[in-house]
Amino acid sequence: MFKKMLIANRGEIAIRVMRACREMGIASAAVFSEADRNALFVKYADEAYFIGPAPASQSYLDIAKVINAAKECNADAIHPGYGFLAENPAFAKACSESGLKFIGPSAEVLALMGDKIAARREMEKAGVPMVPGSKDCITGVDDARRAAAEIGYPVIIKPSGGGGGIGMTVVESEAELANALESTQAIARNTFGLAAIYIEKYLRNPRHIEFQILGDASGAVIHLGERECSIQRRHQKLIEESPSTALTEEMRSRMGEVAARAAQCVGYQGAGTVEFLYSSGKFYFLEVNARVQVEHPVTEMVTGIDIVKEQIRIASGLKMNVRQPDVKINGHAIECRINAEDPLNDFVPTPGKITGYYAPDGPGVRVDSGAYSACDISPFYDPLIAKVICWGRSREEAVRRMERALFEFSISGVRTNIPFHQAVMGNANFGKGDLGTQFIERENSLFENMRKIAESGQTLAGRIPQFDERKKRAAVIAAAAFVAGRRGDGSS
Ligand code: ADP
């Protein structure tokens, strides 16, 4: 087993990995940027190395700096978390060339899965059902017209090297095609450094259902059931749960087997996710995420399997601790991503200093976070403050528990999307499990309810003056008036 692991990431996922290290007796080393000097993950690590300015390109994305830090501290393995360098084949290669074990699939598999056109081709060979789409990279407007006409409108144009829902454009008719093509190509070039794009049939309001898989060096691949991630905004997940209310037991094992077989076909080692769209009882391959995902805790809650520890075991050459028949889904888990963003103002990010922080607790509640009172939410990175994961014996219990946890979650100093999550948990169609990727656009009452919830101050924080900005301001004014009154000068 490894002796020391460098975690090439920040925030909650860095802490998540360090927790696994601690339990496994592996020392942990952090790397941090100027913006993260006082971050919790830096304190949590056994040692920490400064690697440069706040912009990720000069620190967390700088392969040479990360590798140098790992060498300097004598680490024998690197965990990349998610985002940043996690799916970068050049980084995986640089690690192995420096004698460091990269915790993840091989550079070849990362390269294959990172190129979505190539991944689609490979998965089709493995017998995985596909959304109808172009087989190759689209070469120009004429090619796009031909492909779209064949597929049938509406279509969606996607960057082949994409991620995070960035650059995808829905096209309803041929008249919109040329402009959409140009804008997606420009975004693809600027964001991913690769102009390659492809076209797929656009499914209306499908469900996003993905399977967690684990593969080890012996060639064994298993799946840990599904997560439904249909509650999204601009193709970005906000709420995830396991199991999905859409699947029968039979469909679950069919999709799980397809996912595991697909991963096996490419020699997948480590933890990964095979994503599908699900519509009218049919499922279609979307992509493979070759890393641990933000939403992995819901699977951990219902299976009891520690996915990060399994990743580490697999990377060290050990067999998985679990076989397919051992995987049992127990109860239901839901995750809400608590972001520093203002849901009442088009979800604009609201970075700043957290002045008060109290996380929910109690039965069936897990919080993964890198935040604490007086920490900074930096404008340079993703505005994720915490993930709240609630488990219940039934879905209904998990939903009620999430409502209770959101009531408790008290954060002051920055606005958060907690009222959004409260509104979703109270929504009748969400309660029925009637979900789709356009849920947020289609549920008209959601925003009105969110506004009411935000204004009502129906949270634990609303009852504690230190957490309530309005009450805090009133208290300061009252104190000033009191002092002024005692001085008798009338100033305030
Ligand atoms: P990314 O890698 O950028 O996250 P994905 O291919 O995983 O992109 O898709 C993200 C989300 O975009 C999906 O969960 C879904 O909501 C939407 N989406 C992608 N492809 C389609 C499609 N063909 N039809 C309808 N929605 C789609």
Side-chain angles (χ1 to χ4, degrees), residues 14 56 81 267 269 300 321 358 373 395 417 424 455 468 473:
Q269 280 184 39
E300 296 187 324
N321 238 341
Y358 172 79
S373 189
R395 183 172 189 268
N417 61 356
V424 175
E455 280 164 8
D468 188 307
R473 235 174 292 129

Side-chain angles (χ1 to χ4, degrees), residues 116 158 163-165 168 200-201 203 208 232 235 275 287:
K116 293 194 191 180
K158 298 169 132 186
M168 293 190 297
E200 267 179 15
K201 175 85 188 162
L203 306 176
H208 175 116
Q232 307 178 346
H235 309 305
E275 296 191 332
E287 64 166 335

